[in-house]
Amino acid sequence: PNADPDHDGLANSIEFVLGSDPSQSTPGNALASNVVAQNIVFQLVRVKAAGEAGFVSVIELTDDPSLATWQAPAPDTLQITDNGTTETVTVTVARNLAARLFARIRVIAP
C-alpha cells in the first residue's frame, strides 16, 4: 500500500482511494484548495469502493508541516457529497490572515 511505482508522490493506497492508476503518473494535486473571502476550502473526490474495502481516508490540517502536528478537521467543517460511485469530501475552515494552513490526504489501508 505504501509503494509508489510511478514516482508521482502518491502511494498505491492513495491512488486506490482516488481511483487513479498506480502505474501511470498522476499530474496535478489530488487535493484541491480554494481560498475565498472568509474561508479556505479543501476538496477530495474519493472512490466509495475503497471505503467499502476497508480503506480509511481523511483530510488532515496543520499550520506547520515541519512539526508533524497534523490533525483531523472539526466535524462541523466536514461535508460529504454522494456522487454515485464516488463521493466528494469538502473541508471548509475559517480563514485567518495571520496563519498558514496546509492540508494532506492520509489513507489507512486495511
Side-chain angles (χ1 to χ4, degrees):
N2 294 324
D4 182 18
D6 59 6
H7 306 289
D8 62 359
L10 298 176
N12 284 340
S13 58
I14 293 174
E15 299 238 26
F16 180 61
V17 166
L18 299 177
S20 56
D21 184 346
S23 67
Q24 299 291 318
S25 183
T26 304
N29 293 323
L31 187 61
S33 62
N34 187 20
V35 178
V36 294
Q38 298 192 12
N39 296 314
I40 302 172
V41 180
F42 298 101
Q43 280 193 321
L44 157 70
V45 177
R46 63 185 179 194
V47 177
K48 287 170 45 177
E52 293 163 2
F55 285 77
V56 176
S57 58
V58 294
I59 296 174
E60 294 181 324
L61 307 171
T62 187
D63 60 357
D64 188 346
S66 68
L67 297 178
T69 55
W70 296 93
Q71 297 180 349
D76 64 337
T77 66
L78 183 66
Q79 177 183 356
I80 299 175
T81 305
D82 189 336
N83 306 317
T85 59
T86 65
E87 55 191 9
T88 302
V89 180
T90 304
V91 174
T92 304
V93 293
R95 184 176 177 195
N96 179 344
L97 296 178
R100 301 178 302 168
L101 188 62
F102 299 86
R104 72 176 182 184
I105 303 166
R106 184 166 64 104
V107 172
I108 302 166

